[in-house]
Amino acid sequence: MARIKAAFIQTRPVFGETGKNVEDALKRIDALDADVAVLPELFSTGYQFRSKKEAAALAEDARMGYVSDRLAEIAADRKMHIAAGMAERVGRKVYNSSILVGPRGFIAVYRKAHLFWDEKKIFDKGDTPFEVHDAGGARVGMMICFDWLFPEAARTLALKGADIILHPSNLVLPHCPQAMITRCLENRVFAVTANRVGTEERIQGRRLRFIGQSQIIAPDGRILCRAGSVRAEAKAVEIDVSEARKKKITPLNDIFRDRRRDMYEL
Ligand code: ACM
């Protein structure tokens, strides 16, 4: 079974400077030795939009825009897979999305299901299912930032066969890094959370400080690596994907087969 190198790239985007943010991310990817890498939520634009109009102006097509093209180019060059958060425009709709690209180009887009706070004023609610895709020996699924607080998101990906959850984020609350340990334990999957650092205060009095602490967690809850809260940094670790295919935790317990769906309210 595949051993692959998984990585997060923790960045410090400058709001509205898409070209700079993307080229900076590409340099960091190029310096990495990784098979699968994750960039933060909205890594190309920054986070705190003042209006839906402003977000629409910076958003792009997920398949054929500049962000997607540049990431696909480096993914082909480096024979790797990349998940990255971006603002996506579809007609009059704007989504907080994550794309997955691989050596053969665009693979998938996931649109954030659970919008956080003011995102509800900016973005349309995601309408793509939680899906699993092949990524060079691993099965991967995407969720975005605040989706962590809804265990159904990670559970759905795990039940659909994900080995690794790719989790672009812009975390501002302190709980997610620890909570993702539980998401991994309860589903026996790996998770790569890529967060950003820095602050934004584009709306007066609404200063956001992004907490960094990007991390890679193993199916048994081990923190394989975790970044600090201040610096842009990237880290890759080798993982054994087969660990995520073992859902037995004792000879008599299988975390999926033991579910008591007859006792859960939906
Ligand atoms: C978040 O979902 N960006 C907190």
Side-chain angles (χ1 to χ4, degrees):
M1 181 48 64
R3 294 185 75 83
I4 66 163
K5 289 189 187 122
F8 61 71
I9 301 155
Q10 176 164 294
T11 63
R12 180 190 290 275
V14 179
F15 187 91
E17 305 262 341
T18 301
K20 180 188 178 312
N21 297 332
V22 171
E23 298 312 312
D24 175 67
L26 293 175
K27 269 192 221 129
R28 291 173 191 279
I29 292 170
D30 207 35
L32 268 179
D33 178 16
D35 303 297
V36 177
V38 185
L39 283 160
E41 178 182 13
L42 296 168
F43 90 97
S44 52
T45 55
Y47 181 79
Q48 198 180 40
F49 296 97
R50 292 192 179 121
S51 66
K52 187 168 188 132
K53 197 165 156 210
E54 185 181 60
L58 285 167
E60 297 184 19
D61 188 278
R63 282 172 188 271
M64 293 188 306
Y66 162 71
V67 173
S68 175
D69 287 352
R70 294 293 283 139
L71 291 176
E73 270 167 38
I74 199 163
D77 212 39
R78 301 295 309 270
K79 297 191 174 35
M80 63 188 296
H81 288 77
I82 303 167
M86 61 174 286
E88 182 198 8
R89 193 174 55 236
V90 184
R92 295 166 74 86
K93 299 207 167 179
V94 185
Y95 297 103
N96 181 343
S97 298
S98 175
I99 56 169
L100 178 68
V101 298
R104 293 207 294 260
F106 175 89
I107 296 173
V109 60
Y110 162 69
R111 298 176 179 143
K112 189 173 185 178
H114 304 99
L115 296 172
F116 176 68
W117 201 352
D118 286 344
E119 289 174 28
K120 292 193 171 192
K121 300 177 193 160
I122 304 291
F123 295 108
D124 292 279
K125 222 191 274 182
D127 59 357
T128 49
F130 293 103
E131 271 177 345
V132 173
H133 312 277
D134 285 328
R139 297 187 295 234
V140 301
M142 294 181 280
M143 59 185 218
I144 300 176
C145 204
F146 193 50
D147 284 333
W148 70 267
L149 194 58
F150 300 84
E152 295 87 348
R155 176 67 100 198
T156 302
L157 289 172
L159 287 171
K160 287 189 171 179
D163 302 311
I164 314 175
I165 293 177
L166 310 179
H167 184 211
S169 296
N170 269 193
L171 298 165
V172 289
L173 301 178
H175 314 293
C176 173
Q178 290 306 102
M180 282 305 290
I181 295 173
T182 304
R183 294 289 94 80
C184 290
L185 266 176
E186 68 200 3
N187 293 297
R188 293 270 150 171
V189 292
F190 292 92
V192 182
T193 298
N195 193 22
R196 60 163 288 180
V197 290
T199 59
E200 283 184 10
E201 188 176 359
R202 302 193 63 257
I203 299 168
Q204 215 185 352
R206 295 290 278 275
R207 184 167 184 273
L208 297 174
R209 191 182 75 79
F210 301 95
I211 68 166
Q213 298 176 60
S214 299
Q215 63 183 17
I216 302 178
I217 305 295
D220 62 1
R222 271 172 305 139
I223 303 169
L224 299 179
C225 58
R226 185 179 273 176
S229 303
V230 178
R231 283 191 314 114
E233 54 187 298
K235 288 204 166 104
V237 291
E238 188 172 274
I239 61 173
D240 178 355
V241 174
S242 69
E243 281 182 44
R245 308 242 170 129
K246 296 177 190 144
K247 303 301 183 188
K248 266 190 178 331
I249 54 168
T250 75
L252 296 184
N253 292 103
D254 177 297
I255 54 152
F256 287 167
R257 294 214 181 100
D258 285 357
R259 294 168 71 224
R260 290 294 308 275
R261 293 174 64 191
D262 56 321
M263 294 182 70
Y264 307 151
E265 298 206 14
L266 294 176

